[in-house]
Protein backbone atom coordinates (compact mmCIF):
# COMPACT_ATOMS: atom_id res chain seq x y z
CA UNK A 1 0.00 0.00 0.00
CA UNK A 2 2.86 2.34 0.76
CA UNK A 3 4.32 1.67 -2.67
CA UNK A 4 1.00 2.49 -4.37
CA UNK A 5 0.73 5.76 -2.45
CA UNK A 6 4.31 6.66 -3.40
CA UNK A 7 3.59 6.04 -7.11
CA UNK A 8 0.44 8.18 -7.04
CA UNK A 9 2.27 11.08 -5.40
CA UNK A 10 5.19 10.77 -7.88
CA UNK A 11 2.72 10.74 -10.77
CA UNK A 12 0.98 13.91 -9.50
CA UNK A 13 4.34 15.68 -9.10
CA UNK A 14 5.48 14.74 -12.62
CA UNK A 15 2.19 15.78 -14.21
CA UNK A 16 2.25 19.08 -12.28
CA UNK A 17 5.84 19.81 -13.31
CA UNK A 18 5.11 19.14 -16.97
CA UNK A 19 1.96 21.28 -16.83
CA UNK A 20 3.84 24.20 -15.25
CA UNK A 21 6.63 23.88 -17.81
CA UNK A 22 4.24 23.97 -20.75
CA UNK A 23 1.62 26.45 -19.59
CA UNK A 24 3.31 28.52 -16.93
CA UNK A 25 6.68 30.11 -16.76
CA UNK A 26 5.72 33.72 -16.35
CA UNK A 27 6.87 36.08 -19.05
CA UNK A 28 9.31 33.62 -20.47
CA UNK A 29 6.88 30.88 -21.42
CA UNK A 30 8.30 27.52 -22.39
CA UNK A 31 6.22 27.36 -25.57
CA UNK A 32 5.86 30.73 -27.28
CA UNK A 33 2.72 31.53 -29.23
CA UNK A 34 2.91 30.50 -32.84
CA UNK A 35 2.38 33.29 -35.32
CA UNK A 36 -0.57 32.65 -37.57
CA UNK A 37 0.37 31.57 -41.06
CA UNK A 38 -0.52 34.18 -43.62
CA UNK A 39 -0.85 33.76 -47.34
CA UNK A 40 2.09 35.33 -49.13
CA UNK A 41 0.67 35.88 -52.61
CA UNK A 42 3.34 34.54 -54.99
CA UNK A 43 1.35 35.58 -58.07
CA UNK A 44 3.34 38.28 -59.90
CA UNK A 45 1.67 41.64 -60.40
CA UNK A 46 4.14 42.98 -62.96
CA UNK A 47 3.62 40.33 -65.67
CA UNK A 48 1.09 37.87 -67.00
CA UNK A 49 0.59 34.62 -65.13
CA UNK A 50 2.26 31.47 -66.34
CA UNK A 51 1.52 27.82 -65.73
CA UNK A 52 4.42 27.54 -63.28
CA UNK A 53 2.95 30.38 -61.19
CA UNK A 54 -0.32 28.51 -60.76
CA UNK A 55 1.42 25.22 -60.05
CA UNK A 56 3.58 26.86 -57.36
CA UNK A 57 0.54 28.34 -55.62
CA UNK A 58 0.17 26.89 -52.10
CA UNK A 59 -2.26 27.99 -49.43
CA UNK A 60 -1.53 27.71 -45.70
CA UNK A 61 -3.66 25.18 -43.86
CA UNK A 62 -6.03 26.25 -41.11
CA UNK A 63 -8.17 24.34 -38.69
CA UNK A 64 -10.85 23.57 -41.28
CA UNK A 65 -8.88 23.58 -44.52
CA UNK A 66 -7.86 26.82 -46.25
CA UNK A 67 -8.76 30.42 -45.54
CA UNK A 68 -11.56 31.26 -47.94
CA UNK A 69 -10.38 34.84 -48.39
CA UNK A 70 -6.97 33.66 -49.65
CA UNK A 71 -8.53 31.21 -52.10
CA UNK A 72 -11.09 33.79 -53.29
CA UNK A 73 -8.34 36.36 -53.90
CA UNK A 74 -6.26 33.92 -55.92
CA UNK A 75 -9.27 32.73 -57.95
CA UNK A 76 -10.30 36.33 -58.60
CA UNK A 77 -6.84 37.11 -59.92
CA UNK A 78 -6.89 34.04 -62.16
CA UNK A 79 -10.38 34.91 -63.47
CA UNK A 80 -9.31 38.47 -64.30
CA UNK A 81 -6.21 37.20 -66.08
CA UNK A 82 -8.24 34.71 -68.14
CA UNK A 83 -10.82 37.36 -69.08
CA UNK A 84 -8.03 39.68 -70.22
CA UNK A 85 -6.48 36.92 -72.32
CA UNK A 86 -9.84 35.98 -73.88
CA UNK A 87 -10.45 39.61 -74.87
CA UNK A 88 -6.96 39.85 -76.37
CA UNK A 89 -7.44 36.59 -78.30
CA UNK A 90 -10.80 37.78 -79.68
CA UNK A 91 -9.19 41.07 -80.76
CA UNK A 92 -6.35 39.25 -82.53
CA UNK A 93 -8.74 36.81 -84.25
CA UNK A 94 -10.85 39.72 -85.55
CA UNK A 95 -7.74 41.46 -86.86
CA UNK A 96 -6.58 38.23 -88.51
CA UNK A 97 -9.95 37.66 -90.17
CA UNK A 98 -9.90 41.22 -91.53
CA UNK A 99 -6.37 40.82 -92.84
CA UNK A 100 -7.22 37.51 -94.50
CA UNK A 101 -10.30 38.95 -96.22
CA UNK A 102 -8.26 41.85 -97.56
CA UNK A 103 -5.37 39.66 -98.71
CA UNK A 104 -7.48 37.00 -100.47
CA UNK A 105 -10.00 39.09 -102.35
CA UNK A 106 -8.44 42.50 -102.48
CA UNK A 107 -10.19 45.66 -101.40
CA UNK A 108 -12.97 45.35 -104.02
CA UNK A 109 -14.00 41.81 -103.09
CA UNK A 110 -17.28 42.74 -101.48
CA UNK A 111 -18.35 45.57 -103.83
CA UNK A 112 -21.63 44.91 -105.61
CA UNK A 113 -22.23 45.78 -109.22
CA UNK A 114 -25.56 46.38 -110.96
CA UNK A 115 -26.74 43.21 -112.70
CA UNK A 116 -26.52 43.25 -116.47
CA UNK A 117 -29.55 42.17 -118.45
CA UNK A 118 -29.81 40.70 -121.90
CA UNK A 119 -31.88 43.64 -123.14
CA UNK A 120 -29.22 46.13 -122.27
CA UNK A 121 -28.05 48.10 -125.29
CA UNK A 122 -31.18 47.42 -127.35
CA UNK A 123 -33.54 50.10 -128.46
CA UNK A 124 -36.86 50.56 -126.69
CA UNK A 125 -38.64 49.02 -129.69
CA UNK A 126 -36.68 45.80 -129.30
CA UNK A 127 -37.66 45.51 -125.66
CA UNK A 128 -41.17 44.35 -126.41
CA UNK A 129 -42.69 41.23 -125.02
CA UNK A 130 -42.77 38.08 -127.15
CA UNK A 131 -46.53 38.41 -127.61
CA UNK A 132 -46.12 41.93 -129.06
CA UNK A 133 -43.44 40.68 -131.41
CA UNK A 134 -45.66 37.89 -132.76
CA UNK A 135 -48.59 40.24 -133.28
CA UNK A 136 -46.37 42.68 -135.16
CA UNK A 137 -45.13 39.97 -137.49
CA UNK A 138 -48.65 38.82 -138.23
CA UNK A 139 -49.68 42.36 -139.00
CA UNK A 140 -52.14 42.80 -136.25
Amino acid sequence: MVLFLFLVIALVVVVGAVTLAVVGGGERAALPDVAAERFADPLPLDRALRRADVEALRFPLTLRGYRMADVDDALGRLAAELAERDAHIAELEAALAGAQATAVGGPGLFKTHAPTTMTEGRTPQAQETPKDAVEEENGQ
Side-chain angles (χ1 to χ4, degrees):
M1 172 82 173
V2 175
L3 183 62
F4 177 73
L5 188 59
F6 175 74
L7 289 175
V8 169
I9 292 173
L11 181 64
V12 169
V13 169
V14 169
V15 169
V18 169
T19 303
L20 285 175
V22 171
V23 176
E27 291 183 18
R28 56 177 189 89
L31 296 177
D33 291 335
V34 177
E37 261 187 288
R38 288 289 173 196
F39 179 60
D41 188 7
L43 298 176
L45 297 174
D46 58 339
R47 63 173 172 80
L49 293 177
R50 298 182 189 137
R51 181 179 177 157
D53 296 329
V54 177
E55 288 175 351
L57 189 62
R58 297 289 179 259
F59 298 103
L61 293 175
T62 60
L63 182 62
R64 293 165 56 189
Y66 301 110
R67 288 187 58 225
M68 285 191 288
D70 293 341
V71 176
D72 289 343
D73 290 344
L75 288 176
R77 170 73 195 283
L78 289 171
E81 186 84 23
L82 288 174
E84 183 179 326
R85 283 186 183 178
D86 288 345
H88 187 67
I89 288 171
E91 179 183 319
L92 291 175
E93 285 177 345
L96 178 64
Q100 285 176 339
T102 302
V104 169
L109 176 66
F110 298 111
K111 289 184 180 177
T112 58
H113 299 284
T116 59
T117 61
M118 295 184 70
T119 59
E120 205 172 273
R122 291 187 182 172
T123 62
Q125 297 153 351
Q127 291 182 355
E128 11 181 82
T129 63
K131 182 180 176 186
D132 294 338
V134 169
E135 288 175 0
E136 217 175 275
E137 287 177 10
N138 293 338
Q140 295 173 347

